[in-house]
Amino acid sequence: MSDKSSVTAQSAPLLSGRAGLWWGLLGVTAFSFTLPFTRVAGESLPALFIGSGRAVVAALLATIALLLTRQRAPTRAQWARLAVVAAGVVVGFPMFTSFALTTTSASHAAVVIALLPAATAVAAVLRTKERPTRSFWLFAGLGALAAVGFAALQSGGVPRLTWSDLLLFGAVIAAAVGYAEGGLLARELGSWQTVSWALVLASPLMIVLTLTSVPQQAFSATPVQWLAFAYLAVVSMFLGFFAWYRGLALGPMAQVSQVQLVQPVMSIAWAAMLLQEQLSWPTVLGGITVIACAGLAVRTRLGRRRR
């Protein structure tokens, strides 16, 4: 083998890793607008409609894409795994966050959701049956405690968790499981194919929920609120996953998942700029603490994998 060929072979994994990070960053940037725009749409649209309706629109786009490209249907085993992805990122996360944001701010939600990178790493560890170090579990546990503590102290008065906080923690768990399983499945089906089949699989349930939510209240949304809903349906629910699952599939998954650490920072910034939400010191400190613990957990796992 020539020197030039040797250099090319050695640089291939590095380029692949960088590509995974860039795709992951693109997906995270798309997702960072989700909480603020959910808050905007929720000012007039019912939470159930926002959580389910955006999945119906995305499922329609996914069906068109699958038919136009003549994708081969997944196997029976892959359908079962797609059900896990659908339950996590198509049903769980959108529904939980839509209802949570009816009673809490986008910046508060962003701090709690900052636990997601550590939760995704934990889900990946359990899914792949890895044996990480005690430091990994320590930092993941500290991150969870920091998120719970922040949520409890922000409730006002006696420290306690509100119903919206419990919904946000449910959203974190749902998304973490869906991200981990979807990242693995994307290596078999492809990045956009994975989320597309998951949307199609969940579409019957989401159509029923959407139709159920329509009569609950008259829609008096402004064009801006409908545009926020459109973003949630087309980008947060569909196009964003093209990039995110592509990044996870290129991997390494543990390294790409670190990109999620910038998502809460972006979301808090968008909430301040778009919604004029005031950033208090507890919010800033809580966000820094949760992000730091999540980052240490992910880096600890990544370091062990490299060794």
Side-chain angles (χ1 to χ4, degrees), residues 13 26 46 57 66 85 125 132 138-139 146 162 182 201 219 221 246 251-252 267 297:
L26 181 59
V57 175
L66 291 170
V85 178
V125 163
L138 173 63
F139 291 131
T162 63
L201 181 60
F219 292 167
R246 174 67 173 170
S267 295

Side-chain angles (χ1 to χ4, degrees), residues 285-301:
L285 293 177
I288 292 174
T289 303
V290 176
I291 292 170
C293 291
L296 289 170
V298 174
R299 288 179 181 276
T300 299
R301 175 175 176 251

Side-chain angles (χ1 to χ4, degrees), residues 62 66 71-92 127 174 177-203 237 241 245:
L66 291 170
Q71 296 296 312
R72 180 181 299 178
T75 64
R76 182 177 300 179
Q78 288 172 336
W79 276 119
R81 296 169 63 190
L82 282 168
V84 175
V85 178
V89 301
V90 179
V91 181
R127 176 65 178 82
V177 174
Y179 283 171
E181 190 62 46
L184 294 173
L185 197 54
R187 297 173 180 174
E188 303 172 20
L189 297 176
S191 55
W192 70 268
Q193 293 91 333
T194 296
V195 66
S196 295
W197 286 117
L199 285 164
V200 170
L201 181 60
S203 60
M237 205 74 213
F241 282 101
Y245 280 147

Side-chain angles (χ1 to χ4, degrees), residues 36-113:
F37 283 170
T38 301
R39 182 72 173 172
V40 171
E43 293 176 359
S44 296
L45 299 174
L48 181 59
F49 177 82
I50 295 173
S52 58
R54 69 203 227 187
V56 173
V57 175
L60 177 60
L61 297 175
T63 300
I64 295 173
L66 291 170
L67 290 176
L68 288 178
T69 56
R70 299 181 180 181
Q71 296 296 312
R72 180 181 299 178
T75 64
R76 182 177 300 179
Q78 288 172 336
W79 276 119
R81 296 169 63 190
L82 282 168
V84 175
V85 178
V89 301
V90 179
V91 181
F93 186 85
M95 297 297 288
F96 286 146
T97 53
S98 295
F99 280 98
L101 285 166
T102 60
T103 55
T104 192
S105 67
S107 56
H108 176 98
V111 174
V112 178
I113 298 297

Side-chain angles (χ1 to χ4, degrees), residues 123-197:
V125 163
L126 297 177
R127 176 65 178 82
T128 57
K129 298 180 180 180
E130 294 179 18
R131 293 184 179 180
T133 63
R134 293 180 180 178
S135 298
F136 168 80
W137 295 111
L138 173 63
F139 291 131
L142 288 176
L145 289 175
V148 172
F150 166 81
L153 293 174
Q154 287 285 293
S155 61
V158 179
R160 62 183 177 85
L161 291 176
T162 63
W163 179 241
S164 61
D165 293 323
L166 297 179
L167 289 173
L168 290 172
F169 284 119
V172 168
I173 295 173
V177 174
Y179 283 171
E181 190 62 46
L184 294 173
L185 197 54
R187 297 173 180 174
E188 303 172 20
L189 297 176
S191 55
W192 70 268
Q193 293 91 333
T194 296
V195 66
S196 295
W197 286 117

